[in-house]
Amino acid sequence: MRASRRSRQPTGALAAAPDVTVLINNAGANPPSGSLLNVTDADIRANMETNFFAPVFLARAFAPILAAAPDSILIDVHSVASWYAFGGTYSASKAALWPATNSLRSELAPKGVHVTGVHMGYVDTRMAAHADANAPKMAPADLVTAVYDAVEAGQFEVIADELTAQVKAALSGPVEALYPELSAAIARAATPKRRRPAEVPLACRRRNGSESIRGGPR
């Protein structure tokens, strides 16, 4: 896909698909680390380019084409990471895409374009190969079926698995309910750390005519 340096328009995609009626933004990339602190600025920008800017710019570019077609559809694939921060920049990028999809939905609905956002946990693809072997993974075919059924029913959002449903339900509660490890981390940080006493030279004092040692072993 070739983008104009000035307009950031995906001109190659527009030329290849001038009559598209369904646009699916499913591209995604993992950052080098799940931390926001232990990656470079370039890593953060690159991940945001793929996971946030690319789908937004594609939607903007294809909006006139979709609006000109009857019953056209835009599908943005998010993640449970939109609502649960476990992936550093990945979570941040998916969180940013969620309200962007909501904004696109509001703007495109009067133009006859139906916008659906898809949220799910791990899907059994190469992108999730790094996940814990015991972590539940959704079959790709099951996710596709869920998305097709939702679009056919006119739904605006797909909550594809139980994990995602639980996380979304927890958003209305306190932050520490969604992240119980915070309380333990704060407690540990508040506990005074034991430090070895500073070493001081041996000092001799005469008290009542006797010699005492200060700073040496007892």
Side-chain angles (χ1 to χ4, degrees):
M1 180 176 65
R2 180 170 55 88
S4 164
R5 185 179 296 272
R6 178 173 296 179
S7 67
R8 305 289 293 276
Q9 290 292 309
T11 52
L14 288 170
D19 58 350
V20 68
T21 58
V22 178
L23 174 62
I24 303 175
N25 281 319
N26 187 41
N30 284 325
S33 167
S35 168
L36 269 175
L37 303 178
N38 298 327
V39 292
T40 67
D41 292 355
D43 290 332
I44 294 174
R45 293 180 186 278
N47 206 240
M48 292 297 291
E49 283 286 349
T50 300
N51 296 347
F52 174 70
F53 288 114
V56 170
F57 290 147
L58 276 169
R60 283 162 46 89
F62 279 96
I65 296 175
L66 292 172
D71 302 320
S72 57
I73 299 164
L74 168 64
I75 299 172
D76 279 346
V77 178
H78 304 148
S79 167
V80 67
S82 300
W83 301 323
Y84 187 73
F86 65 88
T89 308
Y90 182 81
S91 295
S93 65
K94 290 298 186 178
L97 183 58
W98 176 40
T101 299
N102 290 338
S103 296
L104 289 167
R105 182 182 296 115
S106 297
E107 291 191 58
L108 290 174
K111 303 178 185 295
V113 181
H114 183 83
V115 178
T116 297
V118 182
H119 299 263
M120 69 287 171
Y122 288 124
V123 181
D124 194 9
T125 65
R126 286 183 298 173
M127 192 171 180
H130 69 286
D132 188 331
N134 296 321
K137 295 181 182 180
M138 191 174 191
D142 292 341
L143 178 60
V144 171
T145 298
V147 173
Y148 281 171
D149 289 347
V151 169
E152 188 176 20
Q155 297 176 6
F156 295 119
E157 196 168 65
V158 178
I159 308 299
D161 54 23
E162 184 60 28
L163 171 64
T164 306
Q166 292 175 358
V167 170
K168 185 182 182 184
L171 292 177
S172 59
V175 171
E176 58 269 26
L178 190 57
Y179 302 95
E181 67 276 11
L182 284 177
S183 298
I186 292 172
R188 287 194 301 270
T191 301
K193 296 180 180 179
R194 298 182 62 184
R195 296 181 178 178
R196 295 181 60 186
E199 294 183 1
V200 295
L202 293 179
C204 296
R205 291 183 178 178
R206 292 187 177 276
R207 294 178 181 174
N208 300 324
S210 64
E211 187 179 74
S212 64
I213 305 296
R214 178 167 58 88
R218 301 279 188 232

